[in-house]
Amino acid sequence: MNALTSAPTVEPFCVSDTFVTGAGPLQIMGDNLRLTLHVLQRSTYDGGTENAVVSKIVGSRTDMLKIAAAILSACNSRSTPSDKVVENFMEFLEGPAGRH
């Protein structure tokens, strides 16, 4: 079962994994939010670096917050006290760029 809902999760056709290295600014679209995900790549035009969009996720504010909370929860070990979760997340964000 999915952690965010009691409904079963099915995959009626193959959905490929999408690797991302960053996200653009969150866009507010009425009651929904759009999160644009990208991957850093070398430009074929000038050899510099550029962010290539690989996915756009749209969902309600409530659903997006639930997803963010699930990600935070999964990234922290069970032994992490709840008051340390935000601190650990901020340390993660400040980590070295380009880590995979």
Side-chain angles (χ1 to χ4, degrees), residues 1-96:
M1 291 286 171
N2 186 320
L4 298 176
T5 177
S6 61
T9 299
V10 299
E11 189 170 336
F13 58 90
C14 183
V15 178
S16 299
D17 291 339
T18 302
F19 180 78
V20 301
T21 58
L26 196 60
Q27 297 172 302
I28 299 171
M29 304 166 32
D31 292 336
N32 294 316
L33 304 175
R34 176 190 289 140
L35 179 62
T36 301
L37 303 173
H38 55 78
V39 64
L40 186 64
Q41 70 178 20
R42 183 156 314 278
S43 170
T44 57
Y45 176 70
D46 64 4
T49 56
E50 63 188 8
N51 291 317
V53 173
V54 294
S55 185
K56 293 180 181 179
I57 300 172
V58 178
S60 71
R61 181 179 186 278
T62 301
D63 289 340
M64 296 291 261
L65 286 170
K66 287 178 187 175
I67 292 166
I71 291 169
L72 282 172
S73 177
C75 288
N76 286 282
S77 67
R78 292 179 191 260
S79 61
T80 303
S82 59
D83 61 333
K84 291 285 195 179
V85 171
V86 173
E87 181 180 325
N88 288 351
F89 184 65
M90 294 309 294
E91 288 176 13
F92 174 78
L93 288 178
E94 294 168 357

